[in-house]
Amino acid sequence: MTLPLSTTEAVSSLEQYSDVVSWINDTLDTSEEGNEANFPASTELTELDERITQLLATLDIACEDTSSQLERTIDDVSRSVPRLTYDLHFMKDSAMTLQVSLEKVLQKSKEVVPDSTSAALEHLRHLDMIKERMEATRDALKEAESWSSLELEVTSLLGERNYAKAAERLSEASRSMIVFHNTPEYEPRRALMVNLQNQLEASLSSALVAAINSQDVALCRNYFSIFSHIQRESEFRNYYNASRRESIVSLWNGVSLVDCESPPCATPSEPFTEFLSRFYAAFLSLINSERVSIPAIFPDPALTLSALISSILSSLQPTFSQRLSSLSSHYGEATLPQLITALQVTEEFAASVDKVVDKLNNALSSSALDGTGPDTPLNPRSQRRRSIRMSISWRAGASLPSAPSKALFADGMEWNQELFQPFLDFQTDYGLLERRFLDSALHKIISGDEKIPDADRPRLLREKVVEVAAVAEESLTRCTAFTHGYGSVGLVLALDNFFQSFIDVWTADIRLETRNSASQSKHPSSSDDFSDMDYSPQDWSDFQLLLHLLSSARVVYERLLAFEGKLRSSLVQTAIRFRLASDDPFNSFIAPSRGESQQLEQSTLNSADLHSLLTSVEADKQSRDSTLQSSRHSQIPVSAPEPLLVEGRKAVFTFANSCQVALQGTILSPLHKHLALYPSLPLWNAPGDPKAKHTMTTNDLQMPNFSLSPSDTVQRVAEGLLNLPRLFEVYADDDALAFSLHTLPHVDTEALKGLTEQISSEAFSQSTHVRRSSLSWAKPASLDADTVSSTWLSSLGHSLLEHFTTTILPSIPFLSPAGAAQLTSDVEYLSNIVRAINVEFPELDRWRELTALDDEEGKQRLSDAGDDDSVLKLVARLRRWER
């Protein structure tokens, strides 16, 4: 089969079209109508392929011909351009010569004509002007004369039900109203005109409503023409909208809903979201029927359809906003899912209406291209073909070919914004709604945990954090569904508060258990101790519990990091959507509906904080991607991004610190028990002065002075300290002890951070396989067992010495010279012991130095010292030194 187009005909026909897609469709369908009955459906694809092949060959030949003609044209232009300047100069000189000649001729003609002839011509012009003005005056007087019989003529026409003739007569009279402007008769005639128009409208109103209800398109179009003649198109539209919206408005106003305040109705109650789907289905059915009727009645179908939708939305009682407020009050903290469901149903309805509007605009565009209007029946075959073509063009992002249809499409979107306006207040408060919903979910998660035995609490924490993470992941979907990314700032804050609240509950439990354990430690139980480390069964049980809780804290932190990675990925996707919409604002929208996108863009959600957040996460991703690519060759470790859930991380570390402090209290509890009675020892009141000088006689035997031995209490404390490394040898490989070392009391965080970075760098340089960035960022660097043990021992030593110097030593009531010597010996011995576990405690050395002073040296030191030496003041109080 061959195409009925030659190369010349193909090019000529292409010039008649405004877009290529429509030309291709029409060219391929040229012989379709004549061959549909001769060939079966199985050969359609083969025929289409043959026609496309022949069309491509024709286009190739046309391209070659065009190229040849273009080359010849370029050659002709190249040869002609050098003469262009000469030709222009010649034309200029010729024009100037002609101008001089014309001026001379004009001057001669004026001189030839006598003055009497000029006067006669001027008199004729004056008479012609008088004639024209008299004719205009005659016409105006005729129009004015017709006003005397206007009322009688119109009344008789209305009696005969000749409404069209009456409207034409009123239209003619209305055009002559300008004759009486600024005259005393203007207002009476204007009142008469309005009265006659009201009579015509009243005579037509019942028939108009009946025609609208019966959907008599021809009669409605006739009535619209009548209303247009009397300048009352808006009243006709009001009649039309009021009649067409009655069923939909009645459906909305008369329903009885279980979760909204509404008047009682005979129909059974139903939830608002279910009713909304049914309401939109009926609404869409009406719009589909109006898509056929409106173009046959109104000259602006798109604007009329938009006005009808807006009229229906504004006539709802109670209003859409009131229904949503009642829905929010009914569900309380759990209202967010209901609002999301309602919004999604509304978005589906808006998308369906947009499709109807597209079909309407495409039909108008096809009518404009075919030269047909609302009054001209369209060829069904041509209408089907062009409708398909325009839908393809719209999917490809092309614009409508005619400017009027563009304007109709752009101006008919008021209903879209009015439809989504009730949701805007709730979307603006999304952060608060999400926080309330998460708080409610958290309350359900943690309820009933009080009855769980202590031994099962670490397992319970690991299980609960899985539930918490699942709830948090659902919030990502809710944010996208309800705000389309505009609520990202509120989402991050709500999630941060959600994780913080969950972890704070467990932190409070740990601190409460620590206080109860401290109160019970004052009354030690009589259970057997374990080995030589003086731990009671309760101490050992607490140690195991706290160690498992610390391990669970590590699991919670890893789970938090994994979720934060998902949150970051979701924000990156949102940032990409925002960037694409910013690059192409006419064809790319954030929300499914253009009206919703405009409202969200103009709301307070579109803040500087939102753009700062999205810009930062997208920049971090790009930076880490580039670093990851370069690290494959240069061994550069990938740095972790800035945290999003800052307060959640702090809460995890606070919980870890609480577990660490409680664990330290359990580990040091035997030593604390030994030191509890240390201030009340009788050693501090011992008589004598070891430093006093004795009088020697010839018979006295001189004995050497030996240093005092440490007290039994200090020796037992020292033995407990030296036994601590044995405890950590058993648990050195436990990941729980290595978690959150920087929150241990009395730890040098800067040195620990440098050590961690060094280990991370070494581990990265030794790795030959670079893992995915999302995994490598979440995996913290692990320290070796010796580093973990030494850090814990240092923290324990500092904690014990702090307790010893701030609580135990100030509780001693009095120190005699002999008691001071004993205390100096104890402090010096204890200082040597803690150095064995790499603990340096300057305040302990300060106590040893000051307690070794005699009274005269101490009083002199006290008089010379300032008020900021707290240790000296304590020692002076114990030694009874006075300034």
Side-chain angles (χ1 to χ4, degrees), residues 275-295:
F275 163 73
L276 194 61
S277 300
R278 184 163 59 89
F279 171 77
Y280 281 147
F283 202 164
L284 186 61
S285 176
L286 174 64
I287 293 173
N288 278 312
S289 63
E290 291 301 315
R291 180 175 66 88
V292 180
S293 303
I294 286 179

Side-chain angles (χ1 to χ4, degrees), residues 814-831:
F814 172 74
L815 279 178
S816 64
Q822 182 62 51
L823 182 59
T824 302
S825 176
D826 288 352
V827 170
E828 183 175 7
Y829 179 73
L830 190 58
S831 178

Side-chain angles (χ1 to χ4, degrees), residues 510-714:
I510 292 297
R511 291 174 177 173
L512 180 61
E513 292 175 0
T514 302
R515 287 195 295 268
N516 293 337
S517 177
S519 62
Q520 294 174 2
S521 63
K522 297 180 181 179
H523 308 283
S525 60
S526 58
S527 35
D528 297 334
D529 296 337
F530 282 88
S531 183
D532 56 344
M533 301 186 72
D534 297 334
Y535 288 121
S536 65
Q538 183 61 39
D539 291 338
W540 194 255
S541 176
D542 292 343
F543 177 83
Q544 296 291 335
L545 174 62
L546 293 170
L547 192 63
H548 291 159
L549 284 174
L550 194 57
S551 177
S552 298
R554 185 186 187 95
V555 174
V556 171
Y557 184 69
E558 292 176 351
R559 180 72 66 173
L560 179 63
L561 291 183
F563 172 76
E564 190 170 322
K566 297 179 181 179
L567 174 61
R568 189 177 301 277
S569 299
S570 177
L571 292 177
V572 168
Q573 295 299 321
T574 301
I576 293 175
R577 291 201 309 271
F578 272 66
R579 178 165 46 81
L580 293 177
S582 177
D583 295 340
D584 188 9
F586 296 101
N587 297 320
S588 181
F589 304 103
I590 302 298
S593 175
R594 179 183 301 182
E596 186 183 7
S597 296
Q598 292 176 351
Q599 286 187 350
L600 290 173
E601 183 179 356
Q602 297 169 3
S603 69
T604 56
L605 290 176
N606 191 18
S607 61
D609 293 338
L610 172 65
H611 289 276
S612 176
L613 173 64
L614 298 181
T615 302
S616 63
V617 295
E618 190 173 17
D620 285 343
K621 182 180 183 302
Q622 294 174 354
S623 175
R624 289 192 297 272
D625 288 343
S626 60
T627 304
L628 188 62
Q629 291 295 331
S630 60
S631 64
R632 298 178 184 272
H633 309 286
S634 56
Q635 300 295 329
I636 301 176
V638 181
S639 60
E642 291 295 327
L644 295 174
L645 306 178
V646 178
E647 298 301 326
R649 292 193 182 195
K650 289 182 180 178
V652 174
F653 292 137
T654 302
F655 174 73
N657 174 258
S658 300
C659 293
Q660 290 167 343
V661 171
L663 185 58
Q664 284 191 353
T666 301
I667 294 174
L668 298 176
S669 60
L671 307 186
H672 287 167
K673 293 176 183 178
H674 293 321
L675 293 175
L677 301 177
Y678 188 71
S680 59
L681 292 178
L683 298 174
W684 317 130
N685 297 322
D689 187 359
K691 296 183 179 180
K693 296 181 180 180
H694 299 281
T695 304
M696 298 293 297
T697 61
T698 55
N699 296 327
D700 290 339
L701 180 62
Q702 186 175 2
M703 298 294 294
N705 292 328
F706 296 97
S707 59
L708 296 175
S709 300
S711 61
D712 294 339
T713 301
V714 171

Side-chain angles (χ1 to χ4, degrees), residues 336-484:
L336 185 56
Q338 299 296 324
L339 291 174
I340 292 175
T341 302
L343 178 62
Q344 290 176 338
V345 173
T346 305
E347 288 174 346
E348 293 175 359
F349 169 73
S352 301
V353 175
D354 284 337
K355 293 179 181 179
V356 174
V357 175
D358 286 343
K359 294 178 181 178
L360 182 60
N361 283 280
N362 293 337
L364 294 177
S365 302
S366 301
S367 300
L369 291 176
D370 293 341
T372 60
D375 298 330
T376 305
L378 296 176
N379 186 338
R381 179 70 179 174
S382 175
Q383 185 179 15
R384 178 191 64 82
R385 188 167 64 241
R386 293 194 180 277
S387 177
I388 296 174
R389 181 183 72 242
M390 292 309 299
S391 63
I392 294 175
S393 302
W394 270 104
R395 285 196 297 269
S399 59
L400 286 174
S402 58
S405 56
K406 282 185 182 179
L408 292 176
F409 184 82
D411 295 338
M413 298 301 296
E414 291 81 3
W415 65 269
N416 207 310
Q417 294 192 5
E418 189 172 354
L419 180 65
F420 291 100
Q421 182 65 37
F423 292 96
L424 185 59
D425 291 338
F426 295 98
Q427 289 172 322
T428 305
D429 294 335
Y430 164 74
L432 178 61
L433 294 174
E434 185 65 51
R435 177 174 293 192
R436 291 171 56 190
F437 183 81
L438 291 176
D439 290 341
S440 175
L442 178 61
H443 178 72
K444 295 179 181 179
I445 291 175
I446 64 177
S447 60
D449 294 347
E450 297 80 3
K451 301 178 181 180
I452 302 298
D454 290 343
D456 295 335
R457 296 187 70 81
R459 174 189 56 80
L460 180 65
L461 176 58
R462 291 191 293 270
E463 294 176 354
K464 293 297 183 181
V465 75
V466 174
E467 298 181 20
V468 168
V471 172
E473 290 179 11
E474 294 174 356
S475 66
L476 304 181
T477 306
R478 287 194 296 270
C479 179
T480 303
F482 196 58
T483 67
H484 305 287

Side-chain angles (χ1 to χ4, degrees), residues 731-800:
Y731 296 96
D733 295 330
D734 198 325
D735 292 339
L737 294 176
F739 174 64
S740 187
L741 287 178
H742 66 280
T743 58
L744 277 172
H746 313 291
V747 169
D748 188 354
T749 55
E750 294 298 329
L752 186 62
K753 181 180 179 181
L755 181 61
T756 304
E757 292 177 352
Q758 179 182 358
I759 294 177
S760 299
S761 178
E762 293 176 355
F764 188 88
S765 61
Q766 294 174 0
S767 176
T768 57
H769 174 65
V770 179
R771 302 175 60 190
R772 291 184 60 186
S773 58
S774 60
L775 298 177
S776 61
W777 297 331
K779 187 69 174 179
S782 58
L783 299 174
D784 58 278
D786 293 338
T787 303
V788 174
S789 299
S790 62
T791 304
W792 268 90
L793 290 174
S794 175
S795 177
L796 287 169
H798 281 86
S799 298
L800 180 64

